[in-house]
Amino acid sequence: MQFVKNEFFHGILIFYMLPGLFLATYITQEPSNLQLRAGESAKMSCTVQEHIEVEELRLSFFKNEIFSISVSDKTASKFDFSGTFKTFSWNVPQNNCSTHRSEDSLTLTCYSGDVTTTTATLWVKNSNDYQSRLDLSGSVYKLKVTLNDLQGDDMGTYRCSGKLKDVFEGFSGNETNLTVYTGLSNSAVVGIVVALVIGGIIIIIGGVWYYRHRNRRQPNPNPNIQAETQGLKPGPELQPDTN
């Protein structure tokens, strides 16, 4: 009886540990923190272990999905791709494939004889300029995401997650916390201060130079002093009246 109880509790412990082990094993997301300024680009990567068969990989912002890539077979999951939604291209080894575009998705269709199959699909949320700002490259196993032209509204938590083929439960990894500063950067502030200091110094030097040359150009108001400074004797009109 004691043995049964021990096995029962061991089973419960393993049951609760499995999700944590599952989440930690299959996907890694980097970096964990990003601190950038408005207008810069945030770069993240999501890496899935290659011994599993991925059916879908997606990125969520505050639990709201902003893009997803789904593939129909393991061969398609190895396809490389790159670009934003408007410039997206698949690197497909065979020539019998074509891309079909809708408002918010791109579908890669391949032909094998008379059979047409949907090989891969990219969906990008049609809001907040994601279709022009999200740059994707790599594959569903090694995905690199770049969010360009950062805005204050982009600040928050991003998480990669996915789905295994023929498995109902999905998987997700750690998250990336993005901080976006919308004020002036430290370098910009330093640049402004330096410019003001240099401008003040130039104004002071210019003022000193101006007043010195102005005093030199002014005539001496006392003719006797002017004559004496030039080594001349005062003329009759300059002689003092002794009477």
Side-chain angles (χ1 to χ4, degrees), residues 82-89 100-107 122-126 130-136:
S82 62
T84 64
F85 180 82
K86 298 180 180 179
T87 62
F88 198 80
S89 62
H100 304 274
R101 182 184 296 271
S102 67
E103 182 181 2
D104 56 2
S105 64
L106 298 173
T107 303
L122 167 68
W123 173 85
V124 180
K125 190 174 183 179
N126 188 15
Y130 285 129
Q131 293 187 353
S132 60
R133 295 196 299 134
L134 273 173
D135 196 328
L136 312 175

Side-chain angles (χ1 to χ4, degrees), residues 50-201:
E50 296 189 3
H51 67 274
I52 64 174
E53 191 169 352
V54 179
E55 187 176 74
E56 183 180 7
L57 189 65
R58 51 188 176 267
L59 181 69
S60 298
F61 174 55
F62 280 130
K63 298 184 179 181
N64 296 315
E65 192 171 329
I66 58 178
F67 83 82
S68 66
I69 300 174
S70 59
V71 294
S72 60
D73 54 57
K74 192 170 184 178
T75 302
S77 65
K78 301 293 185 179
F79 289 171
D80 292 331
F81 47 77
S82 62
T84 64
F85 180 82
K86 298 180 180 179
T87 62
F88 198 80
S89 62
W90 309 87
N91 182 18
V92 184
Q94 61 261 41
N95 296 322
N96 55 343
C97 296
S98 60
T99 302
H100 304 274
R101 182 184 296 271
S102 67
E103 182 181 2
D104 56 2
S105 64
L106 298 173
T107 303
L108 179 67
T109 302
C110 295
Y111 309 89
S112 178
D114 296 332
V115 180
T116 303
T117 58
T118 299
T119 305
T121 301
L122 167 68
W123 173 85
V124 180
K125 190 174 183 179
N126 188 15
S127 65
N128 202 25
D129 294 330
Y130 285 129
Q131 293 187 353
S132 60
R133 295 196 299 134
L134 273 173
D135 196 328
L136 312 175
S137 63
S139 67
V140 293
Y141 283 96
K142 293 183 179 180
L143 176 64
K144 293 183 179 180
V145 183
T146 302
L147 181 58
N148 297 303
D149 192 19
L150 289 177
Q151 306 164 6
D153 293 340
D154 295 323
M155 184 165 58
T157 302
Y158 294 80
R159 183 186 293 273
C160 285
S161 61
K163 182 181 178 183
L164 299 180
K165 187 174 180 62
D166 301 326
V167 178
F168 176 76
E169 186 69 25
F171 64 90
S172 61
N174 51 314
E175 58 190 27
T176 297
N177 294 310
L178 172 63
T179 302
V180 180
Y181 299 102
T182 56
L184 290 174
S185 64
N186 292 334
S187 58
V189 173
V190 172
I192 292 173
V193 172
V194 171
L196 291 174
V197 171
I198 293 175
I201 293 174

